[in-house]
């Protein structure tokens, strides 16, 4: 007979220490056995997790890992949606209905913001300053020159002052009209927090400002799940009709109710959006709306329609902040070879950037997204830092990071459509970026100026003499972006094949 060592061998001091006391009662024995069983379960779970992780790493060995990096609002998640549209369009269709919640939230939040600005403005409608004036935040206290020099911006040039400042609505009629709109819209505005809660699953992120909502990877199904307590699987299809047919049975009662409210309030929203006071404040830049706010308010007739299902363009314009790192997987076929790509879409706010590092050591490529339209904007997390300055600082850190020194590097100078629109509206770069000086304020000069700064950062931090691939992009433009994604895919693939010694 084979003899096995006793469970409580006298030779082992640890097992001796764990040996039950001879005076152990029945109850103590039951508690001990339960805790030993729980410890065993946890240990086995850890072993399973480790085995799974090893398998996953083994599987991923030949895969391409692409990181999307850049500051908050730069367009990383929008670019990820373009990849999804290109390589896994069914998955975008399956989650189409869940974007309704985000878009309703974007609309309600924008209305709330407009009404809040109007409230603060009611008392001082006559105190309108010159166009282009941006006195809601003092420039002199901000970093506006490249490289974080604290030079601030020059005071507005007398040339910028309009000889006849726009007069906003007189207090009486306009103010009464706005007060009525505020009253009628208040039930809709009151849903803001419920919507935020639905999207974030109750998680709030400190310092997120503007009442933004952060979502973790997989929020689309969780949003529906948390509302209904179940997820219904639908057959995948490229047809938006599926989304429409499935949407009703899957729809969250809160979202349904807000859809109904939007329908009833559409005229009031139109009236507020087209109100001369709102237009006047926007022209004076006393009221600054984010690009997605303007987009959805311009399309409110469609968004407030019964049975609204977001179009692909709507999904590309919807705004929700990424929390942590979200992994998306696609199969990319090139020259008959099928390779799995893992796209890592990161949260770009300063408080999120520490989550990027664990993904650096086995990354093959990075697309760094820098919004060039942001020259007149400041960080949510640090209102003293100009957004372009922050992008350059972040790009410096990425270029100089030792873990990333062999990674294929692509730069997207993004939001060129918004840059063009701002310049066309007469915004002057020099007012925000002092080093721009007296250069011509046209689109070509401005984009080349920004590009030169990014190239300079790359040159100064390029011991390995790696190539930087640069693209001017507007990632909400599907046709142009998909063409660029094709180029990027080819260049990443070439590098990948070379490093895998397959060519
Ligand atoms: N007009 C325009 N809008 C853009 C462009 N790129 C992104 N946007 C919009 O800008 C907003 C922010 O884009 P996101 O993709 O969510 O930004 P992000 O980099 O993922 O931000 P975080 O998740 O906070 O790090 C969204 O409403 C997008 O639709 C662009 O090139 N042009
Ligand atoms: Mg994002």
């Amino acid at each position: 007979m084979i003899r096995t060592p006793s469970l409580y061998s006298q030779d082992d001091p640890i097992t001796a220490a764990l040996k039950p006391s001879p005076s152990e009662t029945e109850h103590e024995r039951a508690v001990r056995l339960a805790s030993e069983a729980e410890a065993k379960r946890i240990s086995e779970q850890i072993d399973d997790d480790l085995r799974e992780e090893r398998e996953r790493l083994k599987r991923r060995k030949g895969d391409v890992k692409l990181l999307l990096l850049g500051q908050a609002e730069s367009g990383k998640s929008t670019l990820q949606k373009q990849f999804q549209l290109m390589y896994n369009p069914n998955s975008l269709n399956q989650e189409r209905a869940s974007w309704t919640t985000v878009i309703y939230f974007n609309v309600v939040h924008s209305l709330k913001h407009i009404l809040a600005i109007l409230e603060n403005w009611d008392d001082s409608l006559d105190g309108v300053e010159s166009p282009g004036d941006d006195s809601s935040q003092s420039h002199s206290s901000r970093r506006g020159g490249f490289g974080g020099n604290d030079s601030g911006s020059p005071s507005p040039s007398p040339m910028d002052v309009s000889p006849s400042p726009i007069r906003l609505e007189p207090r009486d009629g306009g103010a009464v009209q706005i007060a009525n709109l505020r009253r009628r819209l208040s039930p809709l505005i009151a849903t803001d927090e419920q919507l935020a809660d639905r999207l974030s699953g109750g998680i709030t992120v400190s310092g997120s400002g503007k009442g933004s909502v952060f979502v973790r990877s997989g929020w689309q199904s969780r949003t529906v799940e948390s509302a209904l307590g179940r997820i219904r699987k639908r057959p995948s299809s490229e047809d938006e009709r599926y989304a429409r047919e499935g949407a009703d049975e899957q729809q969250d009662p809160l979202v349904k109710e807000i859809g109904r409210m939007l329908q009833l309030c559409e005229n009031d929203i139109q009236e507020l959006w087209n109100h001369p006071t709102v237009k006047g404040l926007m022209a004076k830049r006393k009221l600054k709306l984010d690009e997605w706010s303007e987009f959805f308010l311009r399309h409110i007739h469609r968004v407030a329609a019964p049975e609204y299902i977001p179009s692909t363009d709507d999904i590309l314009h919807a705004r929700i902040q990424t929390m942590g790192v979200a992994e998306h997987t696609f199969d990319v076929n090139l020259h008959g070879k099928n390779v799995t790509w893992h796209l890592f879409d990161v949260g770009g706010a300063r408080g999120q950037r520490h989550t990027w590092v664990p993904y650096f050591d086995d990354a093959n490529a990075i697309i760094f997204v820098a919004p060039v339209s942001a020259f007149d904007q400041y960080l949510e997390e640090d209102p003293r830092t100009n957004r372009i300055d922050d992008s350059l600082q972040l790009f410096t850190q990425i270029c100089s990071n030792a873990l990333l020194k062999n990674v294929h590097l692509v730069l997207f100078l993004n939001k060129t459509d918004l840059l063009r629109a701002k310049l066309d509206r007469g915004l002057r770069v020099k007012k925000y970026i002092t080093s721009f000086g007296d250069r011509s304020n046209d689109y070509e000069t401005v984009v080349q100026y920004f590009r030169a700064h990014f190239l300079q950062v790359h040159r100064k931090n390029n011991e390995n003499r790696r190539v930087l691939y640069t693209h001017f992009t507007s990632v909400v433009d599907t046709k142009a972006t998909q063409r660029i994604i094709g180029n990027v895919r080819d260049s990443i693939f070439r590098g990948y094949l070379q490093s895998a010694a397959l060519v």
Side-chain angles (χ1 to χ4, degrees), residues 71-72 137-138 141-144 148 150 206-210 348-351 353 377-390 393:
Q71 66 182 206
Q137 284 169 298
S138 159
S141 65
R142 293 166 167 193
R143 276 169 250 150
D150 226 336
S206 63
S208 54
K210 271 204 296 196
R350 280 196 174 168
R353 295 178 190 171
Q377 293 173 309
Y378 296 82
L379 282 189
E380 195 72 37
E381 315 87 287
D382 173 12
R384 280 174 53 85
T385 300
N386 179 283
R387 279 188 176 274
I388 302 248
D389 240 344
D390 178 66
Q393 285 172 33

Side-chain angles (χ1 to χ4, degrees), residues 477-490:
D477 178 339
T478 299
K479 214 167 144 197
T481 306
Q482 300 214 342
R483 193 173 32 76
I484 293 171
I485 287 178
N487 287 340
V488 171
R489 175 203 59 204
D490 292 352

Side-chain angles (χ1 to χ4, degrees), residues 111 114-115 117-119 121-122 125 166-182 184-185 266-284 287 289 297 300:
L111 293 171
I114 294 175
L115 288 170
I117 296 285
L118 284 171
E119 193 160 58
W121 204 255
D122 277 351
L125 282 186
I166 299 169
R167 276 205 71 76
L168 300 178
E169 276 286 290
R171 280 177 200 215
D172 36 31
V176 171
Q177 193 186 6
I178 285 174
N180 285 334
L181 286 173
R182 186 189 300 282
R184 293 202 295 266
L185 288 171
E266 191 208 320
N267 288 343
D268 291 335
I269 298 173
Q270 296 273 19
E271 197 176 321
L272 181 70
W273 172 236
N274 293 311
H275 196 283
T277 304
V278 171
K279 293 288 176 222
L281 288 172
M282 283 177 69
K284 297 276 179 195
L287 169 62
L289 290 181
L297 289 174
I300 195 67

Side-chain angles (χ1 to χ4, degrees), residues 69-81 106 214 290-293 295-296 313-323 345-349 352 356 369 371 373 413-418 473-477 481:
L69 305 182
Q71 66 182 206
E73 291 182 30
S74 55
K76 301 177 294 298
S77 299
T78 314
L79 177 58
Q80 179 275 315
K81 290 173 203 165
N106 288 165
F214 282 79
D290 295 308
E291 48 269 33
W292 54 93
S293 301
F295 179 85
F296 290 119
D313 208 31
D314 291 344
I315 296 176
L316 291 170
H317 281 87
R319 167 65 176 152
I320 187 101
Q321 280 192 256
T322 308
M323 181 153 124
D345 173 23
V346 307
Q352 299 291 312
W356 304 2
V369 187
S373 63
L413 295 168
N414 192 37
K415 300 201 177 181
T416 50
D417 58 325
L418 296 172
T473 58
S474 164
V475 296
V476 286
D477 178 339
T481 306

Side-chain angles (χ1 to χ4, degrees), residues 222-258:
R222 278 200 305 274
T223 304
V224 176
E225 193 179 12
S226 74
L228 301 177
R230 70 198 153 94
I231 311 176
R232 289 270 191 93
K233 289 259 180 290
R234 269 202 311 267
S236 59
S237 160
E238 286 179 31
D239 191 348
E240 284 183 20
R241 215 160 25 87
Y242 261 131
R244 184 178 303 283
E245 284 165 3
D248 205 48
E249 68 181 59
Q250 253 203 342
Q251 215 181 22
D252 174 353
L254 172 70
V255 175
K256 237 176 178 166
E257 175 60 15
I258 295 171

Side-chain angles (χ1 to χ4, degrees), residues 294-306:
E294 289 200 35
F295 179 85
F296 290 119
L297 289 174
R298 267 205 319 272
H299 291 93
I300 195 67
H301 179 61
R302 212 165 38 72
V303 173

